[in-house]
Amino acid sequence: MSKIETICIQGGYVPGNGEPRQIPIIQSTTFKYDTSEEMAKLFDLEKSGYFYTRLQNPTNDYVAAKICQLEGGSAAMLTSSGQAANFYAVFNIASCNDHVVACSTIYGGTFNLFSVTMKKMGIDFTFVRPDCTDEELAAAFRPNTKAVFGETIANPAGVVFDIERFARAAHAHGVPLIVDNTFATPINCRPFEWGADIVTHSTTKYMDGHGAGVGGAIVDSGKFDWTKYPDKFAGLCTPDESYHGVTYTQRFGLGGAFITKATAQLMRDFGAIQSPQNAYILNLGLESLAVRMERHCYNAQKMAEFLQSHSNVAWVRYCGLKGDKSYELGRKYLPNGSCGVLSFGVNGGRAAAEKLMKGLKVIAIETHVADARSCCLHPASSTHRQMNDEELLNAGVSPELIRLSVGIENIDDLIADVKQALDSLN
Ligand SMILES: *Cc1c(COP(=O)(O)O)cnc(C)c1O
């Protein structure tokens, strides 16, 4: 079972004779045992099994196993949201007095998590532009740097991340590269194949794909050798006194150490679990992921080309367009297509953008993106509303910018909708 479309349908769960064909929803907080001795072995991580859903649940594990196979990883876990996934992925190896290098174009929620909340926890972040020089990138590292972080396709800037270059720099400094692969999905890019070590997802987006459930995932490649830097990654390479002295790299190997530690410590203490019900819904989304991504990319390419041809459109950003800043990186990392999200600007600034949005009938105004239903957002009058025009430009969001998430409806209907709204600006 090697092809990605097949893994989407059949990965992660193999029913035995007479067992349910579809992943069962184990909607139970706890699991029953005959003896305390047996349960003690689970608590000590001496035996694998289930005892409390805050730590592990079979439904979640089936779905995590599918995502793990899709990314080509060694182990994976689900989280309650993409925010929780990125927090865990970084906090699992960086703590107070540590430092992380992150790409400056990352999703605003992640930027805030890093630059405000995790900073309060004593972790420092240096943000580098995705197109910084190798010298600038090297200069961002410090002796206490623990990881590098970026997004395959930045939300919403659409910038494609040069995974290979950032992986090389991370490894030269003895730290792993963490890549948020939410927008590309493993259908269009598998960051591990380019040297990334940890992958995260907001499964809320394409993986779920139907705007039904907030969720996240973390996948480990199992390739980063923590034991080469036992002092830097002491949490993985020395005994965990809170878990009866288990040393994660020794007990679970490079393939299992990172995810086991994140489960045993971070899930235990923070509890950002996905509900089994949501994991089941996520799995339904995963089943059609490959087919949906193909249509998202087809529709978005057509939409980008249409927008480019309209006289009321000032500019379009989509890495599938020749001449786009990310076109070459897109061809390298996303040869089969990128995603359905693009951004564009209309002539006439903020007022024209607001008028255009009001005129749309098929495409809805939502904060959401990367979904079967087409939707759009005008950051200047919603998520970035508190900023004046000058502040917006500094944040890389021009007042006329519209983020358009192209869904899987018929493209003729979507283009007709945008066309009538654009025409009405005259
Ligand atoms: C939405 C998003 C997140 C946050 O995910 P939630 O599921 O909303 O918590 C993180 N990264 C990227 C790239 C996103 O698009």
Side-chain angles (χ1 to χ4, degrees), residues 92-263:
N92 205 31
I93 44 176
S95 53
C96 192
N97 295 327
D98 286 340
H99 171 258
V100 173
V101 177
C103 186
S104 63
T105 47
I106 53 172
Y107 171 66
T110 313
F111 184 80
N112 200 71
L113 167 70
F114 289 173
S115 61
V116 179
T117 301
M118 291 185 78
K119 186 154 175 59
K120 284 185 199 159
M121 301 169 124
I123 304 169
D124 249 345
F125 288 81
T126 298
F127 295 94
V128 293
R129 283 180 298 107
D131 57 353
C132 65
T133 64
D134 286 343
E135 290 71 30
E136 286 168 331
L137 181 52
F141 287 86
R142 301 179 193 167
N144 59 341
T145 301
K146 294 297 176 77
V148 177
F149 185 97
E151 278 170 26
T152 311
I153 306 170
N155 174 12
V159 182
V160 178
F161 188 52
D162 194 344
I163 302 172
E164 223 172 18
R165 185 164 83 93
F166 278 77
R168 212 181 304 126
H171 297 159
H173 292 86
V175 300
L177 174 65
I178 304 172
V179 173
D180 180 333
N181 197 32
T182 297
F183 269 20
T185 82
I187 305 304
N188 285 337
C189 179
R190 284 171 301 283
F192 294 154
E193 293 173 2
W194 301 100
D197 303 286
I198 312 283
V199 158
T200 60
H201 281 280
S202 165
T203 62
T204 317
K205 314 294 166 52
Y206 288 119
M207 283 192 168
D208 172 281
H210 301 77
V214 173
I218 308 171
V219 190
D220 181 15
S221 67
K223 286 191 211 143
F224 191 84
D225 191 352
W226 314 103
T227 62
K228 264 171 79 180
Y229 314 96
D231 295 332
K232 199 186 302 192
F233 301 109
L236 286 153
C237 303
T238 52
D240 176 1
E241 295 313 331
S242 77
Y243 247 113
H244 308 279
V246 54
T247 299
Y248 293 101
T249 44
Q250 248 171 36
R251 181 82 67 82
F252 302 99
L254 294 184
F258 187 88
I259 294 294
T260 308
K261 177 177 180 289
T263 304

Side-chain angles (χ1 to χ4, degrees), residues 5 31 41 52 56 59 72 108 117 121 142 170 205 273 282-283 315 356 417 419-420:
E5 295 83 354
F31 300 81
K41 283 192 185 131
Y52 194 56
Q56 276 188 297
T59 310
T117 301
M121 301 169 124
R142 301 179 193 167
K205 314 294 166 52
I273 56 161
L282 166 58
N283 183 58
W315 55 267
L356 172 94
D417 192 34
K419 183 173 187 308
Q420 60 81 25

